[in-house]
Amino acid sequence: MKSPFARHIRRSSGDLDPYSAAHIYYGPDREVKRIKSRAYSSVFEQPANVRNLITEETRPPTRRASLDEVGHDTRKFLIPVESTLRELLAREDTDNNMQITIDDAGPKVLRLGTLASNGYNLFDIRGTYMLSNLLQELTLAKDYGRKRIILDEARLNENPVNRLSRLIKNSFWDNLTRRIDGTVIEKVGLDPKDWTPDPRPRIYVPQGAPEQYEYYTKLAKERPEIRLDVQWLKPGEITAEYVRVLNDKPGLLAVAMEEFIDPKTGLRDLRGMPFVVPGGRFNEFYGWDSYMESLGLLINDRVDLAKSMVINFCFCIQHYGKIFNANRSYYLGRSQPPFLTDMALRVYEKIKTEPGSLDFLRTAIQAAIKEYYGIWMAEPRLDPVTGLSRYRPLGVGVPPETESSHFTHILLPYAEKHGMTNEEFVEAYNSSAVQEPELDEYFLHDRAVRESGHDTSYRLEKVAANLATIDLNSLLYKYEVDIARTIHVFFGDRLLMPAQFCTSSMTPNQMETSAAWDRRAKKRRAAMDRYLWNEEKGMYFDYDTVKKEQTTYESATTFWAMWSGASTPRQAASMVTKALPKFEVFGGLVSGTEESRGVTGLDRPNRQWDYPYGWAPQQILAWTGLLRYGYTEEAERLAYKWLFMVTKAFFDFNGVVVEKYDVTRPIDPHRVDAEYGNQGSDFKGVAREGFGWVNASYVYGLTIVNVHMKRALGACTPWETFNRMTELGGIAFDN
């Protein structure tokens, strides 16, 4: 029998997939309409706190056959958004942080009215996970202006692996996507790291992009209220002194734009090529973050974004000579770990049947060759003795992107020595009015740490610029192998280098051949074996090119050699046997060993790239390297541990996904006690972005584990439990 209350609710779009993206699920077609109501339908309008006081003893008699759901339909709830959201937070958010987590001491139950009874019959929503999902859904519904919603129970008790995967694919990537053009320049142009007296949107345009200078100049004239400052970047070589001058007027560095027909005017115009940002306070186009993100984007069929980021990288190399740490003017002298060849080849594999795909690959390889010659195999980064490369960026003075207090403990003794305040000394030192060679050396290494992407770590502190690291040289070996193979397979063993992708030491239109790149790869591999490989320890170490000795810090970057293919099978086996046990912990791989980090305390605080922290890039590259050499079981185990840790934090802490994790901490690994804290945990109601490379590691890791592991992860089963039960009886977990 059909409920007499059912006709009081109308949904114009019919039933939707309960797992639809929020903009569809809470879009205008899902608006709940009230039609003429009877007196007894006012039950729906009862305040949530009144409804939650109704008990079986006080409930009026009802006809269950006519009011309750029947058949196999999933349960749906009819919810007034504002009142339920207030009630939920008042009851369950006991620490008042706009999240519902296992730390909250509420009753962990809330009653919701069912749709089939027009909100009259109530059903208990129990437990942290379902209640936190309810908070997230209500927050999203409020964002879309909804007053009432029909909510599928399936969105509240959804398998957490499926839910996080869905959010990454349908929401997080879009929310992390940016472009630079007139539609958003007043927002993206502002820099929270701009400490100058008059922060304003500013963009620097390279000489080779006059169309962009014209575009932004016109925009600045048409919209004076945004105070956009458009500047030419000077032609020729970028020097450390020039970058220092720009620090008084920091701004964005222009990236690629494309022509399109404006649908409003019908005229040709320019718009920015999109890119994905890391998240949190990192709101620019970053270097190696983009590679890691591309791995997840390609799995989630967002080839458009991955391709666009490769195009942006090629633009940066063509016009600035390098891929930046990020596209701000104070990063002009600083690059980041190079991943362009692998990124471009992965994108090409997805688009190879499309028109222009081979031109796309050609441009990417030409750009990588220019970057290789001009940045990594040139002074000051090349060590001519070993033939290996180092992170050694240009720069003078104090890094301007840091907060004024960040280096106070370093600078204060020098300020006192010169009889100055800290601010006066920084100004004098940055302008070279005072000379302090020891401080120059300190900041040389500090900039190198930041270029490495591993900022900060005791592995690199006060020595980074002198180190031929295993990570950088593994990446350059991969460049050499990729370039050799691509030239041979796709370009008939001869690749012409046009002028825009030639360095000053190259001849325009010179030819590159695969044989030359094969030789470079073999030479680097031999140097890595000689200087970086430690036979006794069974792993790679960095090499100090000044002291001419191997360092002793044990770093998870040793597995990058497996990712790149630089290791021999014997070396790979030795790393799996000797090195892997040193780094494998509860949540996967830790960045470095506790022994290498040393004792920490008030005078020697934790560094975020040391023990006990783990990062998505270290996991991704290790998994891939292990699979490359046939260590499937180890790759699956490590991926499972990382995925479980991320899933459990997501499950227990209101959908949180953060920049890094304490991989030794089973309960709340997202809580990090390091100098920069953590990005991604400070949200109200619902996490909207996750964090770029963790999002990618999640969807990438799920392609590595098997189907039984996925089921166990959905049930939040720890690795030890899963492993023990499968060993005992080959049990497959169902969810």
Side-chain angles (χ1 to χ4, degrees):
M1 179 178 176
K2 186 177 180 181
S3 168
F5 298 91
R7 65 188 182 91
H8 293 275
I9 305 299
R10 175 167 56 87
R11 289 173 295 160
S12 61
S13 64
D15 289 334
L16 287 176
D17 179 354
Y19 305 119
S20 297
H23 70 279
I24 298 173
Y25 195 81
Y26 296 116
D29 289 342
R30 287 277 286 178
E31 187 66 45
V32 179
K33 307 288 186 181
R34 290 288 312 279
I35 307 180
K36 181 180 178 181
S37 61
R38 301 179 184 178
Y40 49 69
S41 69
S42 63
V43 172
F44 171 66
E45 298 298 339
Q46 287 179 342
N49 59 341
V50 174
R51 296 203 314 273
N52 279 284
L53 293 175
I54 296 176
T55 66
E56 292 301 322
E57 290 75 20
T58 60
R59 179 189 299 279
T62 60
R63 294 178 60 197
R64 295 185 60 84
S66 63
L67 296 179
D68 289 351
E69 295 88 346
V70 295
H72 300 287
D73 291 342
T74 59
R75 184 179 287 109
K76 301 177 189 293
F77 301 107
L78 188 58
I79 304 176
V81 173
E82 288 281 1
S83 59
T84 306
L85 185 56
R86 287 195 302 269
E87 171 69 5
L88 176 64
L89 289 170
R91 288 166 60 93
E92 301 294 346
D93 180 24
T94 59
D95 57 8
N96 298 312
N97 67 346
M98 296 292 289
Q99 298 177 19
I100 297 174
T101 73
I102 60 173
D103 290 338
D104 289 303
K108 299 294 170 103
V109 61
L110 188 79
R111 288 185 159 188
L112 297 179
T114 63
L115 173 64
S117 68
N118 199 25
Y120 183 77
N121 281 356
L122 304 178
F123 183 84
D124 288 349
I125 304 300
R126 293 183 177 274
T128 299
Y129 180 62
M130 290 187 70
L131 289 168
S132 70
N133 286 347
L134 176 60
L135 173 60
Q136 294 168 51
E137 297 300 327
L138 292 173
T139 304
L140 290 170
K142 186 177 178 180
D143 287 348
Y144 285 93
R146 299 296 300 276
K147 303 300 182 184
R148 308 180 189 89
I149 58 171
I150 296 167
L151 181 63
D152 289 88
E153 184 184 18
R155 285 179 88 89
L156 302 182
N157 61 16
E158 185 178 4
N159 178 311
V161 173
N162 295 346
R163 182 175 177 86
L164 179 50
S165 300
R166 175 175 63 80
L167 290 174
I168 291 169
K169 182 176 183 177
N170 294 341
S171 300
F172 290 177
W173 292 133
D174 285 339
N175 291 339
L176 288 169
T177 299
R178 307 284 187 273
R179 64 173 77 235
I180 300 175
D181 57 29
T183 62
V184 291
I185 190 66
E186 68 271 26
K187 295 180 180 179
V188 300
L190 288 174
D191 185 1
K193 300 182 287 294
D194 182 352
W195 315 111
T196 61
D198 183 28
R200 60 188 296 186
R202 182 177 290 110
I203 190 161
Y204 288 93
V205 181
Q207 295 285 324
E211 73 287 351
Q212 289 203 34
Y213 187 83
E214 180 183 353
Y215 171 87
Y216 287 115
T217 302
K218 179 183 177 184
L219 178 68
K221 291 179 180 178
E222 292 176 348
R223 299 178 60 193
E225 73 280 3
I226 67 176
R227 301 179 65 237
L228 177 63
D229 183 16
V230 185
Q231 297 279 339
W232 277 116
L233 203 65
K234 78 160 196 169
E237 181 183 0
I238 300 296
T239 65
E241 290 71 23
Y242 177 64
V243 177
R244 179 181 59 189
V245 171
L246 296 188
N247 289 342
D248 292 333
K249 292 184 175 182
L252 282 171
L253 299 172
V255 291
M257 302 185 81
E258 63 179 352
E259 280 193 356
F260 79 113
I261 302 298
D262 189 331
K264 295 181 180 179
T265 65
L267 302 175
R268 288 188 178 276
D269 202 352
L270 293 177
R271 64 184 175 192
M273 296 291 291
F275 53 88
V276 175
V277 301
R281 64 189 176 91
F282 304 110
N283 203 35
E284 297 90 13
F285 181 42
Y286 275 77
W288 71 316
D289 293 76
S290 296
Y291 169 74
M292 301 299 164
E293 291 157 356
S294 74
L295 300 176
L297 291 168
L298 293 174
I299 293 169
N300 285 154
D301 298 322
R302 295 305 307 271
V303 182
D304 58 322
L305 283 175
K307 179 182 178 182
S308 179
M309 290 198 290
V310 171
I311 293 171
N312 275 312
F313 279 151
C314 294
F315 179 94
C316 290
I317 293 171
Q318 177 181 341
H319 295 286
Y320 307 110
K322 64 173 68 67
I323 292 172
F324 295 119
N325 185 153
N327 66 314
R328 293 282 183 185
S329 56
Y330 39 75
Y331 295 135
L332 270 166
R334 191 190 308 168
S335 189
Q336 269 208 325
F339 284 92
L340 178 57
T341 58
D342 191 77
M343 185 176 177
L345 285 165
R346 289 176 182 270
V347 172
Y348 174 76
E349 187 62 28
K350 293 283 188 178
I351 66 168
K352 60 186 177 183
T353 59
E354 299 177 7
S357 59
L358 197 60
D359 291 335
F360 163 85
L361 182 61
R362 178 184 291 106
T363 298
I365 296 301
Q366 289 167 339
I369 290 172
K370 179 180 181 180
E371 179 198 20
Y372 176 90
Y373 285 139
I375 300 299
W376 304 113
M377 294 301 289
E379 291 186 356
R381 292 174 179 84
L382 174 66
D383 174 48
V385 177
T386 62
L388 297 173
S389 299
R390 306 166 294 189
Y391 294 113
R392 203 175 176 92
L394 298 172
V396 291
V398 181
E401 75 272 18
T402 57
E403 295 182 10
S404 58
S405 61
H406 186 79
F407 293 109
T408 299
H409 64 295
I410 300 294
L411 297 171
L412 195 56
Y414 294 95
E416 292 173 349
K417 170 184 171 182
H418 290 275
M420 301 177 177
T421 66
N422 193 63
E423 293 74 16
E424 289 171 341
F425 175 76
V426 169
E427 184 175 349
Y429 175 67
N430 285 348
S431 64
S432 299
V434 297
Q435 302 292 325
E436 288 292 348
E438 288 185 359
L439 207 52
D440 294 343
E441 181 78 4
Y442 176 85
F443 284 117
L444 167 68
H445 295 305
D446 180 82
R447 285 187 294 272
V449 173
R450 297 172 192 278
E451 182 170 75
S452 78
H454 291 73
D455 46 324
T456 58
S457 166
Y458 288 117
R459 167 193 170 212
L460 303 172
E461 191 168 282
K462 299 180 181 179
V463 72
N466 296 340
L467 297 182
T469 65
I470 179 57
D471 35 303
L472 176 57
N473 286 283
S474 294
L475 298 180
L476 294 176
Y477 175 82
K478 184 71 159 58
Y479 259 42
E480 291 156 351
V481 171
D482 286 347
I483 292 169
R485 182 174 67 86
T486 305
I487 291 175
H488 177 71
V489 173
F490 296 103
F491 303 117
D493 223 9
R494 289 172 63 82
L495 180 64
L496 183 142
M497 293 295 295
Q500 67 267 30
F501 289 117
C502 286
T503 66
S504 58
S505 63
M506 298 170 65
T507 303
N509 299 320
Q510 73 180 48
M511 287 291 180
E512 297 289 331
T513 64
S514 62
W517 288 93
D518 278 328
R519 288 193 296 271
R520 293 186 181 101
K522 291 175 182 177
K523 183 179 179 181
R524 186 176 302 276
R525 189 176 191 176
M528 292 169 67
D529 286 345
R530 178 179 178 182
Y531 294 105
L532 309 182
W533 175 250
N534 188 305
E535 184 67 29
E536 180 183 352
K537 297 284 188 179
M539 59 185 294
Y540 293 91
F541 290 85
D542 303 326
Y543 181 80
D544 190 319
T545 60
V546 173
K547 292 183 177 180
K548 301 188 184 307
E549 63 183 21
Q550 260 186 18
T551 65
T552 59
Y553 189 104
E554 296 168 328
S555 170
T557 53
T558 187
F559 299 108
W560 292 31
M562 293 177 68
W563 173 83
S564 69
S567 302
T568 65
R570 184 184 63 80
Q571 288 170 327
S574 185
M575 277 194 280
V576 171
T577 302
K578 296 181 179 181
L580 186 56
K582 292 176 179 286
F583 300 99
E584 185 173 352
V585 293
F586 172 81
L589 289 176
V590 70
S591 292
T593 62
E594 186 174 14
E595 180 182 1
S596 292
R597 179 203 64 184
V599 177
T600 57
L602 290 176
D603 296 329
R604 196 172 184 271
N606 279 332
R607 299 293 190 230
Q608 63 178 3
W609 280 91
D610 291 331
Y611 182 94
Y613 307 120
W615 294 73
Q618 308 289 39
Q619 320 301 318
I620 291 171
L621 299 181
W623 302 338
T624 309
L626 289 165
L627 290 173
R628 180 177 191 141
Y629 287 84
Y631 294 99
T632 304
E633 182 178 328
E634 288 79 2
E636 288 182 340
R637 183 179 72 246
L638 290 174
Y640 187 101
K641 287 184 170 186
W642 175 262
L643 293 171
F644 170 77
M645 179 192 65
V646 174
T647 303
K648 195 64 166 61
F650 174 84
F651 186 90
D652 287 339
F653 291 94
N654 209 109
V656 72
V657 178
V658 291
E659 176 191 23
K660 55 186 173 286
Y661 293 84
D662 181 339
V663 287
T664 68
R665 192 176 182 126
I667 302 300
D668 50 0
H670 64 295
R671 289 181 173 145
V672 167
D673 180 23
E675 72 268 47
Y676 294 119
N678 217 347
Q679 300 296 309
S681 60
D682 185 19
F683 58 86
K684 305 298 182 186
V686 59
R688 303 173 189 279
E689 299 178 341
F691 196 85
W693 58 24
V694 176
N695 299 343
S697 74
Y698 199 79
V699 296
Y700 186 72
L702 287 174
T703 68
I704 292 173
V705 297
N706 62 45
V707 64
H708 300 312
M709 290 177 168
K710 290 178 185 177
R711 291 172 179 166
L713 287 167
C716 289
T717 307
W719 166 255
E720 292 73 15
T721 303
F722 172 77
N723 188 49
R724 182 173 63 252
M725 296 186 74
T726 51
E727 285 180 349
L728 288 174
I731 297 175
F733 286 76
D734 293 307
N735 191 50

